[in-house]
Amino acid sequence: MMGEFPYLRMRRLRQSEGIRAMVRETEVRASDLVYPLFVVPGRGVRKEISSLPGNYHLSVDELVRECEQVARLGIPAVLLFGIPESKDAFGSGAYAGDGVVQQAIRALKQRVPELVIITDVCLCEYTSHGHCGVVVEDRVDNDRSLELITKTALSHAEAGADMVAPSDMMDGRVAAIRSLLDENGFEMTPIMAYAAKYDSAFYGPFREAAGSTPQFGDRRSYQMDSHNVREALREVRLDIEEGADVVMVKPALAYLDVVRRVRESFDMPLAAYNVSGEYAMVKAAAAQGLLNEKRAVLEVLTAIKRAGADIILTYHAKDAAGWLKAG
Ligand code: PBG
């Protein structure tokens, strides 16, 4: 039988790098990556984040320098998070005209205009209680939260953001943001919706970095239950119907089946967020000499792409882009 061993030998196409490159099905490129960054108040601040080694709290001036480097590496976009001077019950720093993220956007659009500025739209870094919305009687009130979340998205667009990314998981936020943006002349600002965002232990290092650990309770009444995948498809469908331009699955690695299902079910640009805990695991193992960091990172990113993601948000972006460039 010609289709069987010894006539068939799968190893023929694996015997040299040239042949392997010819039959390679998936390739991660620097242009697939988005680099998340944390902006803080002040000047000249560049402080390593202990829970995310190799990532920094940056003041706007330092952020501009960082972003110049990001752009030179061929990474097309950054995702901005803000750590405000002070927090309050209504997260007012999130939608302040002169908030940290708003200042960062203006500076970046002036200094690194080719870089796509995506902003994380959420209240949790700005609220004293650490929840992603308005708390009424110890519960996160969906509809009252929408008002502040949409205001935040609009203030980012007004400052010049190229894309807004709501991550709060409130119901109806994509439609609410779309209509407020459109009413204000920002009908061309795309929305990247954190559509299927799970309640996950893998956000641990981020919450330390952003100081956004909930002061009471948890996020289970708004973020998704990790046991569910059909629900993810409903969430994604709703966000598309509400006007999302890009949909996201988050986290990525423990949810590659969800990435695959969304890819097969919807013809939408799909992003996957390789979150802080996934990053920290690789960094910790590499620091202990347990694995080769470069190979592990490129394998992880390839897996996310192979599962069906078009866009990968990752703290490894700069390292990966450098390695991909070097070949
Ligand atoms: C804020 C937000 C979170 C992340 C992205 N946006 C934290 C959370 O939901 O608790 C997580 C990012 C990461 O872990 O890398 N709403």
Side-chain angles (χ1 to χ4, degrees), residues 52 79 81 120-125 132 167-168 194 197 202-207 212 219 223 250 273-277 315:
L52 287 173
L79 174 69
F81 293 97
D120 184 89
V121 174
C122 198
L123 301 179
C124 67
E125 299 106 60
C132 303
S167 67
D168 51 281
Y194 284 71
K197 177 176 178 180
F202 290 98
Y203 305 152
F206 172 94
R207 290 185 188 168
S212 63
R219 301 211 205 287
Q223 298 182 349
K250 175 187 175 186
Y273 200 139
N274 177 216
V275 300
S276 59
Y315 304 97

Side-chain angles (χ1 to χ4, degrees), residues 291-313:
L291 47 75
N292 175 307
E293 182 173 349
K294 172 181 169 182
R295 289 192 54 202
V297 167
L298 294 176
E299 189 173 330
V300 159
L301 299 179
T302 301
I304 297 169
K305 183 116 190 243
R306 195 184 61 231
D310 304 299
I311 299 166
I312 306 171
L313 301 105

Side-chain angles (χ1 to χ4, degrees), residues 213-283:
T213 306
Q215 297 303 301
F216 65 89
D218 51 44
R219 301 211 205 287
R220 287 183 206 175
S221 76
Y222 41 107
Q223 298 182 349
M224 282 184 55
D225 183 334
S226 63
H227 304 77
N228 298 350
V229 64
R230 293 191 300 263
E231 185 186 354
L233 299 179
R234 290 183 73 196
E235 282 284 8
V236 169
R237 182 174 301 114
L238 283 169
D239 280 2
I240 296 169
E241 286 166 4
E242 289 183 31
D245 300 282
V246 179
V247 290
M248 190 199 299
V249 171
K250 175 187 175 186
L253 282 189
Y255 299 85
L256 291 180
D257 60 318
V258 182
V259 173
R260 167 59 39 194
R261 289 288 299 276
V262 172
R263 170 74 295 143
E264 284 170 357
S265 305
F266 303 101
D267 290 324
M268 289 288 290
L270 174 58
Y273 200 139
N274 177 216
V275 300
S276 59
E278 301 171 352
Y279 172 85
M281 283 196 299
V282 171
K283 293 298 275 191

Side-chain angles (χ1 to χ4, degrees), residues 49-109:
I49 301 169
S50 58
S51 61
L52 287 173
N55 288 264
Y56 297 82
H57 280 143
L58 302 165
S59 53
V60 172
D61 53 328
E62 290 289 330
L63 177 79
V64 168
R65 288 177 31 186
E66 182 78 9
C67 286
E68 285 166 350
Q69 205 190 349
V70 168
R72 273 200 300 276
L73 283 163
I75 298 166
V78 292
L79 174 69
L80 297 185
F81 293 97
I83 321 284
E85 196 92 60
S86 63
K87 307 185 186 223
D88 59 43
F90 296 97
S92 56
Y95 40 88
D98 61 350
V100 271
V101 165
Q102 289 79 358
Q103 289 180 35
I105 300 166
R106 282 189 220 104
L108 289 174
K109 284 326 294 179

